Structures are given as structure tokens and as C-alpha cells.
Amino acid sequence: MIRITAGREKIMLTGHAGYAPKGQDIVCAAVSALTENLKCSIERLTHSSVGFFDAENYEIVPQYLDDAGTVLLSSYVLGLQALAEAYPQHVKINAQAWKA
């Protein structure tokens, strides 16, 4: 299961979806696509500063967010929440800080 904790200071992703064998897992691919799109969008469309750290756990750490960066991070969390709703046995998200 992919576990996601989304707070204002950082977003942490851990685990693997386990939906299908490695290389065929559409849930992992969806999380990866959302994350790579966020990284590219933050770098190319904003003046925000966000650290992306890939170690045992993947961490996204906002250092400075302009308005566009805030919208992109909010959109990212919404996408992850949609995946968690669609695949509840494979993705769990705690995003209390992002609720309106």
C-alpha cells in the first residue's frame, strides 16, 4: 500500500501499491506521473522553491510557495485523494492540512 501524509511543511509518500507486478502497476504509475508532473510544473511554471527527495521515503518539502505553487500542490493532493478513493486497498492518504 502507498501511504501518503500531506502536511503544509511536507508531503511524504511511502510503500508500494501492490496492485500488479512491478512494471505493470497502474496505481504506482499514476502516483509517479502525478509526482513527476508536479516537479516539472513547479520548476517551469512558478517561482516556488520545493525540495524533492527520493530516499527510502519520497518527500516533497515546500520551502517557498508563490500562488501558482500553492495551486499546483493543492491540485497534486487532490489527484492523490482521487487515487485513494478509486483504489482504497492500494493508496491511503492523510491530508487534513489540505482540506478547505
Side-chain angles (χ1 to χ4, degrees), residues 39-86:
K39 185 176 181 181
C40 290
S41 297
I42 289 283
E43 290 172 354
R44 296 178 187 174
L45 301 174
T46 77
H47 296 289
S48 298
S49 176
V50 178
F52 294 86
F53 305 99
D54 189 3
E56 187 175 320
N57 301 315
Y58 194 85
E59 292 184 20
I60 300 166
V61 182
Q63 294 148 356
Y64 166 76
L65 292 177
D66 60 10
D67 290 342
T70 300
V71 169
L72 289 172
L73 271 172
S74 296
S75 176
Y76 173 69
V77 171
L78 285 174
L80 294 173
Q81 287 172 326
L83 282 173
E85 289 173 13

Tab-separated table of all heavy atoms in Angstrom, residues 39-86:
chain	number	residue	atom	x	y	z
A	39	LYS	N	6.623	18.085	-10.124
A	39	LYS	CA	8.003	18.548	-10.121
A	39	LYS	C	8.287	19.434	-11.336
A	39	LYS	O	8.830	20.536	-11.204
A	39	LYS	CB	8.957	17.352	-10.096
A	39	LYS	CG	10.400	17.734	-9.976
A	39	LYS	CD	11.277	16.501	-9.851
A	39	LYS	CE	12.728	16.900	-9.715
A	39	LYS	NZ	13.610	15.745	-9.608
A	40	CYS	N	7.925	18.982	-12.514
A	40	CYS	CA	8.150	19.769	-13.736
A	40	CYS	C	7.362	21.073	-13.714
A	40	CYS	O	7.882	22.129	-14.097
A	40	CYS	CB	7.761	18.959	-14.971
A	40	CYS	SG	8.877	17.599	-15.323
A	41	SER	N	6.127	21.024	-13.265
A	41	SER	CA	5.281	22.214	-13.232
A	41	SER	C	5.805	23.253	-12.252
A	41	SER	O	5.836	24.448	-12.560
A	41	SER	CB	3.841	21.839	-12.873
A	41	SER	OG	3.296	20.999	-13.875
A	42	ILE	N	6.216	22.801	-11.061
A	42	ILE	CA	6.774	23.726	-10.066
A	42	ILE	C	8.020	24.401	-10.644
A	42	ILE	O	8.189	25.624	-10.546
A	42	ILE	CB	7.121	22.990	-8.750
A	42	ILE	CG1	5.854	22.571	-7.994
A	42	ILE	CG2	8.045	23.832	-7.871
A	42	ILE	CD1	5.139	23.661	-7.246
A	43	GLU	N	8.895	23.621	-11.274
A	43	GLU	CA	10.152	24.155	-11.797
A	43	GLU	C	9.946	25.110	-12.966
A	43	GLU	O	10.640	26.112	-13.079
A	43	GLU	CB	11.066	23.006	-12.234
A	43	GLU	CG	11.605	22.191	-11.069
A	43	GLU	CD	12.354	20.943	-11.498
A	43	GLU	OE1	12.385	20.610	-12.715
A	43	GLU	OE2	12.907	20.266	-10.608
A	44	ARG	N	8.965	24.822	-13.826
A	44	ARG	CA	8.830	25.587	-15.068
A	44	ARG	C	7.751	26.662	-15.047
A	44	ARG	O	7.783	27.575	-15.864
A	44	ARG	CB	8.559	24.627	-16.221
A	44	ARG	CG	9.713	23.687	-16.451
A	44	ARG	CD	9.442	22.719	-17.551
A	44	ARG	NE	10.528	21.739	-17.604
A	44	ARG	CZ	10.512	20.691	-18.389
A	44	ARG	NH1	9.491	20.472	-19.177
A	44	ARG	NH2	11.532	19.858	-18.380
A	45	LEU	N	6.795	26.545	-14.134
A	45	LEU	CA	5.657	27.462	-14.172
A	45	LEU	C	5.557	28.393	-12.976
A	45	LEU	O	4.632	29.208	-12.922
A	45	LEU	CB	4.349	26.658	-14.288
A	45	LEU	CG	4.233	25.745	-15.505
A	45	LEU	CD1	2.955	24.915	-15.417
A	45	LEU	CD2	4.264	26.555	-16.790
A	46	THR	N	6.465	28.252	-12.004
A	46	THR	CA	6.354	29.062	-10.794
A	46	THR	C	7.713	29.624	-10.384
A	46	THR	O	8.750	29.258	-10.944
A	46	THR	CB	5.810	28.239	-9.602
A	46	THR	OG1	6.851	27.417	-9.076
A	46	THR	CG2	4.625	27.382	-9.978
A	47	HIS	N	7.664	30.473	-9.402
A	47	HIS	CA	8.878	30.969	-8.754
A	47	HIS	C	9.046	30.298	-7.396
A	47	HIS	O	9.821	30.750	-6.569
A	47	HIS	CB	8.812	32.491	-8.599
A	47	HIS	CG	8.776	33.200	-9.907
A	47	HIS	ND1	9.867	33.272	-10.747
A	47	HIS	CD2	7.775	33.841	-10.545
A	47	HIS	CE1	9.539	33.939	-11.834
A	47	HIS	NE2	8.277	34.290	-11.744
A	48	SER	N	8.315	29.225	-7.169
A	48	SER	CA	8.353	28.492	-5.906
A	48	SER	C	9.655	27.724	-5.766
A	48	SER	O	10.320	27.406	-6.763
A	48	SER	CB	7.180	27.506	-5.821
A	48	SER	OG	5.961	28.190	-5.847
A	49	SER	N	9.990	27.399	-4.536
A	49	SER	CA	11.142	26.565	-4.231
A	49	SER	C	10.640	25.360	-3.442
A	49	SER	O	10.119	25.500	-2.336
A	49	SER	CB	12.151	27.357	-3.402
A	49	SER	OG	13.218	26.526	-3.026
A	50	VAL	N	10.773	24.194	-4.051
A	50	VAL	CA	10.284	22.958	-3.441
A	50	VAL	C	11.365	21.899	-3.578
A	50	VAL	O	11.899	21.683	-4.664
A	50	VAL	CB	8.978	22.474	-4.115
A	50	VAL	CG1	8.513	21.164	-3.511
A	50	VAL	CG2	7.884	23.541	-4.018
A	51	GLY	N	11.694	21.239	-2.460
A	51	GLY	CA	12.656	20.158	-2.493
A	51	GLY	C	11.961	18.831	-2.745
A	51	GLY	O	10.906	18.556	-2.180
A	52	PHE	N	12.533	18.032	-3.631
A	52	PHE	CA	12.030	16.695	-3.927
A	52	PHE	C	13.135	15.718	-3.537
A	52	PHE	O	14.226	15.746	-4.105
A	52	PHE	CB	11.693	16.555	-5.410
A	52	PHE	CG	10.545	17.416	-5.842
A	52	PHE	CD1	10.736	18.733	-6.235
A	52	PHE	CD2	9.255	16.909	-5.852
A	52	PHE	CE1	9.678	19.528	-6.631
A	52	PHE	CE2	8.187	17.701	-6.246
A	52	PHE	CZ	8.397	19.017	-6.636
A	53	PHE	N	12.864	14.868	-2.545
A	53	PHE	CA	13.882	13.976	-2.013
A	53	PHE	C	13.435	12.533	-2.167
A	53	PHE	O	12.367	12.150	-1.694
A	53	PHE	CB	14.136	14.291	-0.532
A	53	PHE	CG	14.504	15.731	-0.307
A	53	PHE	CD1	13.555	16.634	0.125
A	53	PHE	CD2	15.790	16.174	-0.559
A	53	PHE	CE1	13.883	17.981	0.316
A	53	PHE	CE2	16.132	17.505	-0.371
A	53	PHE	CZ	15.170	18.412	0.070
A	54	ASP	N	14.260	11.752	-2.833
A	54	ASP	CA	13.957	10.348	-3.085
A	54	ASP	C	14.964	9.504	-2.313
A	54	ASP	O	16.118	9.404	-2.688
A	54	ASP	CB	14.047	10.049	-4.576
A	54	ASP	CG	13.548	8.671	-4.932
A	54	ASP	OD1	13.067	7.952	-4.040
A	54	ASP	OD2	13.630	8.311	-6.117
A	55	ALA	N	14.502	8.958	-1.209
A	55	ALA	CA	15.337	8.064	-0.402
A	55	ALA	C	14.485	6.839	-0.109
A	55	ALA	O	13.786	6.357	-0.977
A	55	ALA	CB	15.779	8.774	0.874
A	56	GLU	N	14.509	6.363	1.109
A	56	GLU	CA	13.640	5.245	1.471
A	56	GLU	C	12.179	5.665	1.341
A	56	GLU	O	11.335	4.905	0.913
A	56	GLU	CB	13.939	4.800	2.903
A	56	GLU	CG	13.188	3.538	3.297
A	56	GLU	CD	13.603	3.047	4.671
A	56	GLU	OE1	14.809	3.099	4.977
A	56	GLU	OE2	12.723	2.617	5.407
A	57	ASN	N	11.909	6.910	1.722
A	57	ASN	CA	10.590	7.509	1.553
A	57	ASN	C	10.755	8.700	0.617
A	57	ASN	O	11.783	9.349	0.611
A	57	ASN	CB	10.041	7.997	2.900
A	57	ASN	CG	9.922	6.876	3.895
A	57	ASN	OD1	9.450	5.790	3.575
A	57	ASN	ND2	10.377	7.116	5.104
A	58	TYR	N	9.738	8.971	-0.174
A	58	TYR	CA	9.789	10.125	-1.071
A	58	TYR	C	9.190	11.313	-0.343
A	58	TYR	O	8.087	11.224	0.192
A	58	TYR	CB	9.011	9.827	-2.357
A	58	TYR	CG	9.305	10.816	-3.441
A	58	TYR	CD1	10.418	10.641	-4.267
A	58	TYR	CD2	8.515	11.935	-3.634
A	58	TYR	CE1	10.713	11.558	-5.260
A	58	TYR	CE2	8.812	12.853	-4.621
A	58	TYR	CZ	9.911	12.655	-5.436
A	58	TYR	OH	10.207	13.561	-6.406
A	59	GLU	N	9.921	12.432	-0.306
A	59	GLU	CA	9.443	13.615	0.393
A	59	GLU	C	9.419	14.812	-0.545
A	59	GLU	O	10.331	15.010	-1.344
A	59	GLU	CB	10.342	13.950	1.585
A	59	GLU	CG	10.270	12.946	2.697
A	59	GLU	CD	11.096	13.357	3.909
A	59	GLU	OE1	11.418	14.547	4.042
A	59	GLU	OE2	11.424	12.468	4.693
A	60	ILE	N	8.370	15.604	-0.404
A	60	ILE	CA	8.231	16.866	-1.112
A	60	ILE	C	8.164	17.935	-0.034
A	60	ILE	O	7.257	17.908	0.813
A	60	ILE	CB	6.956	16.868	-1.979
A	60	ILE	CG1	7.025	15.732	-3.002
A	60	ILE	CG2	6.768	18.231	-2.644
A	60	ILE	CD1	5.711	15.426	-3.676
A	61	VAL	N	9.142	18.847	-0.049
A	61	VAL	CA	9.249	19.839	1.020
A	61	VAL	C	9.179	21.241	0.425
A	61	VAL	O	10.150	21.713	-0.182
A	61	VAL	CB	10.557	19.660	1.811
A	61	VAL	CG1	10.637	20.673	2.949
A	61	VAL	CG2	10.676	18.233	2.347
A	62	PRO	N	8.029	21.916	0.567
A	62	PRO	CA	7.934	23.300	0.090
A	62	PRO	C	8.799	24.219	0.954
A	62	PRO	O	8.702	24.185	2.178
A	62	PRO	CB	6.455	23.649	0.265
A	62	PRO	CG	5.748	22.365	0.496
A	62	PRO	CD	6.764	21.426	1.079
A	63	GLN	N	9.658	24.997	0.304
A	63	GLN	CA	10.477	25.956	1.029
A	63	GLN	C	9.918	27.362	0.852
A	63	GLN	O	9.891	28.152	1.775
A	63	GLN	CB	11.926	25.850	0.549
A	63	GLN	CG	12.504	24.501	0.939
A	63	GLN	CD	13.534	23.965	-0.035
A	63	GLN	OE1	13.800	24.541	-1.080
A	63	GLN	NE2	14.106	22.822	0.306
A	64	TYR	N	9.477	27.674	-0.352
A	64	TYR	CA	8.777	28.922	-0.633
A	64	TYR	C	7.734	28.620	-1.694
A	64	TYR	O	8.055	28.022	-2.725
A	64	TYR	CB	9.743	30.003	-1.149
A	64	TYR	CG	8.991	31.157	-1.763
A	64	TYR	CD1	8.350	32.089	-0.954
A	64	TYR	CD2	8.875	31.284	-3.137
A	64	TYR	CE1	7.615	33.123	-1.512
A	64	TYR	CE2	8.153	32.314	-3.706
A	64	TYR	CZ	7.525	33.228	-2.892
A	64	TYR	OH	6.785	34.240	-3.440
A	65	LEU	N	6.500	29.027	-1.458
A	65	LEU	CA	5.430	28.820	-2.431
A	65	LEU	C	4.833	30.164	-2.831
A	65	LEU	O	4.385	30.927	-1.973
A	65	LEU	CB	4.314	27.947	-1.855
A	65	LEU	CG	4.639	26.484	-1.584
A	65	LEU	CD1	3.447	25.794	-0.942
A	65	LEU	CD2	5.023	25.783	-2.873
A	66	ASP	N	4.826	30.427	-4.132
A	66	ASP	CA	4.049	31.556	-4.609
A	66	ASP	C	2.626	31.046	-4.844
A	66	ASP	O	2.318	29.878	-4.556
A	66	ASP	CB	4.677	32.183	-5.860
A	66	ASP	CG	4.808	31.230	-7.048
A	66	ASP	OD1	4.252	30.108	-6.997
A	66	ASP	OD2	5.463	31.613	-8.029
A	67	ASP	N	1.740	31.898	-5.332
A	67	ASP	CA	0.340	31.486	-5.523
A	67	ASP	C	0.226	30.304	-6.478
A	67	ASP	O	-0.538	29.361	-6.233
A	67	ASP	CB	-0.503	32.655	-6.029
A	67	ASP	CG	-0.720	33.721	-4.974
A	67	ASP	OD1	-0.532	33.440	-3.768
A	67	ASP	OD2	-1.098	34.852	-5.342
A	68	ALA	N	0.992	30.336	-7.562
A	68	ALA	CA	0.936	29.236	-8.537
A	68	ALA	C	1.421	27.929	-7.921
A	68	ALA	O	0.842	26.862	-8.161
A	68	ALA	CB	1.757	29.582	-9.778
A	69	GLY	N	2.465	28.001	-7.125
A	69	GLY	CA	2.969	26.797	-6.459
A	69	GLY	C	1.963	26.211	-5.493
A	69	GLY	O	1.810	24.991	-5.400
A	70	THR	N	1.268	27.083	-4.784
A	70	THR	CA	0.233	26.624	-3.856
A	70	THR	C	-0.883	25.912	-4.608
A	70	THR	O	-1.352	24.850	-4.184
A	70	THR	CB	-0.334	27.816	-3.052
A	70	THR	OG1	0.743	28.411	-2.312
A	70	THR	CG2	-1.426	27.370	-2.095
A	71	VAL	N	-1.299	26.472	-5.744
A	71	VAL	CA	-2.350	25.840	-6.554
A	71	VAL	C	-1.880	24.487	-7.074
A	71	VAL	O	-2.619	23.499	-7.017
A	71	VAL	CB	-2.775	26.760	-7.715
A	71	VAL	CG1	-3.656	26.020	-8.714
A	71	VAL	CG2	-3.513	27.985	-7.185
A	72	LEU	N	-0.643	24.417	-7.548
A	72	LEU	CA	-0.131	23.147	-8.071
A	72	LEU	C	-0.047	22.083	-6.981
A	72	LEU	O	-0.424	20.927	-7.220
A	72	LEU	CB	1.233	23.352	-8.720
A	72	LEU	CG	1.225	24.105	-10.044
A	72	LEU	CD1	2.649	24.416	-10.493
A	72	LEU	CD2	0.484	23.329	-11.113
A	73	LEU	N	0.429	22.442	-5.806
A	73	LEU	CA	0.486	21.469	-4.710
A	73	LEU	C	-0.912	21.031	-4.290
A	73	LEU	O	-1.149	19.849	-4.014
A	73	LEU	CB	1.245	22.037	-3.513
A	73	LEU	CG	2.742	21.791	-3.522
A	73	LEU	CD1	3.426	22.555	-2.395
A	73	LEU	CD2	3.076	20.331	-3.417
A	74	SER	N	-1.844	21.961	-4.256
A	74	SER	CA	-3.224	21.610	-3.911
A	74	SER	C	-3.818	20.670	-4.951
A	74	SER	O	-4.505	19.699	-4.606
A	74	SER	CB	-4.080	22.875	-3.785
A	74	SER	OG	-3.629	23.672	-2.720
A	75	SER	N	-3.545	20.937	-6.216
A	75	SER	CA	-4.021	20.071	-7.295
A	75	SER	C	-3.406	18.677	-7.191
A	75	SER	O	-4.086	17.663	-7.401
A	75	SER	CB	-3.674	20.702	-8.643
A	75	SER	OG	-4.041	19.862	-9.706
A	76	TYR	N	-2.137	18.611	-6.854
A	76	TYR	CA	-1.438	17.334	-6.663
A	76	TYR	C	-2.111	16.514	-5.559
A	76	TYR	O	-2.398	15.331	-5.746
A	76	TYR	CB	0.027	17.620	-6.324
A	76	TYR	CG	0.858	16.425	-5.944
A	76	TYR	CD1	1.196	15.457	-6.877
A	76	TYR	CD2	1.349	16.285	-4.646
A	76	TYR	CE1	1.997	14.375	-6.528
A	76	TYR	CE2	2.151	15.206	-4.292
A	76	TYR	CZ	2.467	14.254	-5.243
A	76	TYR	OH	3.247	13.183	-4.897
A	77	VAL	N	-2.380	17.156	-4.438
A	77	VAL	CA	-3.029	16.461	-3.323
A	77	VAL	C	-4.431	15.995	-3.732
A	77	VAL	O	-4.835	14.875	-3.402
A	77	VAL	CB	-3.057	17.345	-2.049
A	77	VAL	CG1	-3.915	16.713	-0.961
A	77	VAL	CG2	-1.634	17.565	-1.543
A	78	LEU	N	-5.161	16.813	-4.476
A	78	LEU	CA	-6.486	16.389	-4.963
A	78	LEU	C	-6.376	15.149	-5.848
A	78	LEU	O	-7.189	14.235	-5.757
A	78	LEU	CB	-7.168	17.521	-5.728
A	78	LEU	CG	-7.725	18.652	-4.890
A	78	LEU	CD1	-8.235	19.774	-5.793
A	78	LEU	CD2	-8.843	18.157	-3.990
A	79	GLY	N	-5.366	15.121	-6.707
A	79	GLY	CA	-5.154	13.945	-7.559
A	79	GLY	C	-4.845	12.706	-6.747
A	79	GLY	O	-5.371	11.617	-7.024
A	80	LEU	N	-4.006	12.853	-5.720
A	80	LEU	CA	-3.707	11.721	-4.839
A	80	LEU	C	-4.947	11.267	-4.079
A	80	LEU	O	-5.173	10.064	-3.901
A	80	LEU	CB	-2.590	12.091	-3.867
A	80	LEU	CG	-1.213	12.360	-4.470
A	80	LEU	CD1	-0.261	12.892	-3.404
A	80	LEU	CD2	-0.648	11.117	-5.144
A	81	GLN	N	-5.772	12.214	-3.640
A	81	GLN	CA	-7.010	11.858	-2.939
A	81	GLN	C	-7.951	11.095	-3.868
A	81	GLN	O	-8.594	10.132	-3.447
A	81	GLN	CB	-7.691	13.111	-2.390
A	81	GLN	CG	-6.973	13.703	-1.207
A	81	GLN	CD	-7.526	15.039	-0.765
A	81	GLN	OE1	-7.984	15.843	-1.571
A	81	GLN	NE2	-7.467	15.296	0.536
A	82	ALA	N	-8.009	11.497	-5.127
A	82	ALA	CA	-8.851	10.783	-6.097
A	82	ALA	C	-8.355	9.352	-6.291
A	82	ALA	O	-9.166	8.410	-6.382
A	82	ALA	CB	-8.874	11.532	-7.427
A	83	LEU	N	-7.046	9.157	-6.351
A	83	LEU	CA	-6.496	7.800	-6.454
A	83	LEU	C	-6.826	6.978	-5.217
A	83	LEU	O	-7.162	5.794	-5.322
A	83	LEU	CB	-4.985	7.845	-6.648
A	83	LEU	CG	-4.492	8.182	-8.042
A	83	LEU	CD1	-2.980	8.356	-8.044
A	83	LEU	CD2	-4.904	7.100	-9.025
A	84	ALA	N	-6.723	7.600	-4.042
A	84	ALA	CA	-7.044	6.885	-2.802
A	84	ALA	C	-8.508	6.468	-2.774
A	84	ALA	O	-8.842	5.390	-2.274
A	84	ALA	CB	-6.711	7.749	-1.590
A	85	GLU	N	-9.387	7.290	-3.317
A	85	GLU	CA	-10.811	6.938	-3.377
A	85	GLU	C	-11.064	5.824	-4.386
A	85	GLU	O	-11.873	4.926	-4.152
A	85	GLU	CB	-11.639	8.169	-3.739
A	85	GLU	CG	-11.703	9.195	-2.625
A	85	GLU	CD	-12.387	10.487	-3.038
A	85	GLU	OE1	-13.042	10.524	-4.109
A	85	GLU	OE2	-12.256	11.472	-2.291
A	86	ALA	N	-10.348	5.865	-5.502
A	86	ALA	CA	-10.543	4.859	-6.550
A	86	ALA	C	-9.897	3.518	-6.209
A	86	ALA	O	-10.382	2.467	-6.621
A	86	ALA	CB	-9.991	5.374	-7.879
